Amino acid sequence: MFARRVMVVGTGYVGLTTGACLASLGHEVVCADIDAAKVERLRRGVVDIVEPDLAELVAEQTSAGRLSFVVGAGAALGSFEDGRPAEVLFLCVPTPMGAGGVADLRAVESVIEEVGAELAPGTVVVNKSTVPVGTAARTAELLERTDVAVVSNPEFLREGSAVKDFLGPDRIVVGSDNQDAAERVAALYARLGAPTVLTDAASAELMKYAANCFLAMKLSYVNAMAELCERVGADIGDVTEGIGYDRRIGQAFLSPGPGWGGSCLPKDTHALLQVADSADFEFRLLRATIDTNTRQRQRIVDKVRLAVTGKRTGSLSRVRLALLGLTFKAGTDDLRDSPALAIAALLRQAGAELVGFDPAFVEGSKNRDGAAPPTEIDGVPLAADAVSAAQGAEAVLVLTEWPMFRTLDWSVIATAVKRPIVIDTRNIVDPATLRRAGLTAVGLGRRGDGDIAE
Ligand code: UGA
């Protein structure tokens, strides 16, 4: 394998994982970030995010001398061994949702402004961030360099399994109007042996949105199907198992939940809708996907209302509720666009009194660099454990699929609560276990959960 000199700008989930994983594939990698304190922590091997295997990989590759960290993209240019120039520059900077759902590209633009003119002839600039279609072309315009190629190489890793996903991808996508540059980027991953799709830049950019929006659509479909199951007396677990055996559908990504969230699916669905709008295409399917998701949060609140008061219009004023799980999914401490927090906000608006617990924010939680865990998140006070959160609650809501919720001692929870109701929005806790503990189980689209209907 041919080891390359790779510069990665941005050390968020994608950038740090890209840097550490490319180093583990044998490349010499320099990661740059504008946050000097973060760079200093990374040099000490401290990774701020909860991400399995990442801290270990960073430490391993740093001590192997293949991975280093610098402040600012400019500093990265001169940081390779023997002062040789970077051959590939990965842009892994944030592209948050700006006005009207369009991705905000200022971070990409400022990196180009800072180092564009300094890049050695023949460098390949790679866009790994999720960006609107046309960004590779715009990046090339901003660069004003005919001797530097721009390539789109979208990343499909998930938070919570970033390293595993990066090193075991379903596919590598590389898009460019410069075939040679695209092949050089694809070669960086050759050791992974993944199917590689070489295409033009616009198709690669669209592919990332197409994938995330398809996944969002799959989840909205499942959540709608779970609601239908409740109405017709069917069971969503059986239905998804049955349809999932069809290889064209697959078993993955079929779990109903409180709605999809996180830093990607909500941003990307809105951004693609915007792309469609500007192309004068009414993407109704995508709009319905988003609307179904918004409605899902309200649907959970309605379920709580009905379970606690026995009426669809009952009041939640001063009703104490325990919220188990606040992150957008298990395995991460990421709270961005978390459905749990959106539901918490709706419950609070309805007058409920909330206490939360999340295993990502407990005393001694990993990778926090000594910082004390927060005592509240978004106005929800945090308890030290699930039992304390459940103390005096009129219902316990399971909002995130942390495995520990499955194995909680629910009989202890049963003695702590004021009323024995568990609303499991992830269908992860065995209803029979809850019933044995004297608790009433309410899930999504499950057979036998109908006892609480009005
Ligand atoms: C998503 C995509 O899955 C990645 O392929 C993509 O690279 C990434 O966005 C990105 O664009 O960077 P991620 O945001 O980490 O990854 O989260 P997912 O695992 O996709 O989960 C998204 C949401 O769907 C979460 O709220 C999760 O709880 C929910 N979900 C997922 C379900 O409700 N049910 C499921 O069966 C799966």
Side-chain angles (χ1 to χ4, degrees):
M1 195 223 39
F2 201 29
R4 295 282 184 194
R5 292 182 301 280
V6 178
M7 168 173 160
V8 177
V9 183
T11 58
Y13 281 98
V14 172
L16 189 57
T17 309
T18 300
C21 290
L22 287 178
S24 79
L25 293 176
H27 304 292
E28 183 189 351
V29 181
V30 178
C31 290
D33 202 288
I34 47 169
D35 181 341
K38 187 176 185 187
V39 167
E40 189 271 325
R41 287 197 295 278
L42 286 168
R43 282 180 177 153
R44 284 192 285 120
V46 177
V47 172
D48 292 338
I49 48 178
V50 171
E51 192 56 60
D53 308 328
L54 187 55
E56 292 79 357
L57 197 64
V58 166
E60 180 192 298
Q61 295 306 316
T62 307
S63 51
R66 282 189 291 267
L67 178 65
S68 58
F69 297 94
V70 296
V71 181
L77 287 175
S79 295
F80 290 91
E81 231 176 275
D82 308 328
R84 292 192 297 167
E87 295 163 282
V88 185
L89 158 58
F90 277 89
L91 291 169
C92 300
V93 289
T95 51
M97 190 150 55
V102 186
D104 173 351
L105 288 184
R106 274 175 299 181
V108 171
E109 287 165 4
S110 87
V111 177
I112 298 295
E113 256 169 48
E114 189 183 345
V115 297
E118 315 296 323
L119 297 173
T123 311
V124 182
V125 172
V126 185
N127 225 326
K128 225 175 185 14
S129 311
T130 310
V131 287
V133 180
T135 301
R138 210 164 120 211
T139 308
E141 268 169 38
L142 285 166
L143 263 169
E144 291 181 314
R145 299 270 308 256
T146 49
D147 56 349
V148 172
V150 178
V151 166
S152 166
N153 169 219
E155 181 49 55
F156 298 97
L157 63 81
R158 289 161 301 173
E159 290 183 21
S161 53
V163 171
K164 198 168 130 275
D165 289 350
F166 190 101
L167 294 175
D170 289 337
R171 77 302 209 182
I172 300 287
V173 173
V174 187
S176 179
D177 304 326
N178 179 326
Q179 183 75 12
D180 176 57
E183 280 169 13
R184 278 163 63 199
V185 172
L188 293 172
Y189 302 95
R191 268 182 61 187
L192 299 178
T196 301
V197 181
L198 287 181
T199 180
D200 60 87
S203 301
E205 287 164 343
L206 190 59
M207 223 177 281
K208 172 68 195 215
Y209 287 109
N212 274 359
C213 293
F214 190 87
L215 292 171
M217 185 181 72
K218 199 171 178 188
L219 293 177
S220 280
Y221 181 82
V222 166
N223 285 334
M225 198 53 77
E227 184 169 355
L228 187 57
C229 282
E230 285 170 19
R231 290 173 190 242
V232 301
D235 185 85
I236 189 68
D238 291 354
V239 171
T240 52
E241 185 189 353
I243 62 171
Y245 284 123
D246 186 327
R247 274 168 294 171
R248 294 168 302 172
I249 296 173
Q251 297 281 358
F253 242 72
L254 284 183
S255 305
W260 38 269
S263 63
C264 305
L265 267 44
K267 167 171 80 76
D268 293 353
T269 42
H270 281 98
L272 187 60
L273 204 53
Q274 191 72 25
V275 169
D277 278 350
S278 5
D280 216 7
F281 171 61
E282 177 147 21
F283 205 152
R284 288 183 196 205
L285 188 58
L286 186 54
R287 197 175 288 282
T289 296
I290 297 170
D291 291 347
T292 303
N293 198 47
T294 310
R295 188 169 165 271
Q296 185 68 1
R297 294 157 184 201
Q298 188 57 53
R299 193 168 110 71
I300 302 296
V301 173
D302 293 346
K303 252 179 189 294
V304 176
R305 201 185 286 280
L306 183 58
V308 171
T309 69
K311 294 194 191 76
R312 286 184 200 285
T313 52
S315 166
L316 288 176
S317 177
R318 308 187 70 116
V319 169
R320 188 180 168 96
L321 301 169
L323 310 184
L324 303 189
L326 297 171
T327 55
F328 84 95
K329 64 173 184 180
T332 175
D333 60 350
D334 197 340
L335 294 160
R336 285 177 289 178
D337 238 315
S338 165
L341 294 182
I343 289 165
L346 291 172
L347 290 168
R348 211 184 8 245
Q349 262 171 35
E353 289 169 11
L354 310 176
V355 183
F357 165 69
D358 192 301
F361 308 102
V362 287
E363 204 53 58
S365 45
K366 267 175 48 191
N367 299 329
R368 299 271 102 204
D369 198 23
T375 53
E376 54 108 28
I377 289 171
D378 259 15
V380 179
L382 290 187
D385 51 49
V387 178
S388 316
Q391 211 67 47
E394 298 202 40
V396 176
L397 277 70
V398 177
L399 292 165
T400 309
E401 77 283 25
W402 287 101
M404 71 169 306
F405 297 153
R406 259 184 242 273
T407 53
L408 279 178
D409 189 341
W410 285 96
S411 57
V412 178
I413 303 260
T415 60
V417 292
K418 185 170 170 195
R419 297 182 58 203
I421 300 169
V422 176
I423 298 161
D424 179 2
T425 70
R426 299 276 184 170
N427 285 1
I428 55 154
V429 190
D430 175 28
T433 304
L434 294 178
R435 278 194 287 273
R436 273 197 303 276
L439 296 159
T440 303
V442 181
L444 297 185
R446 274 193 322 211
R447 192 190 300 118
D449 274 358
D451 353 332
I452 280 183
E454 196 173 27

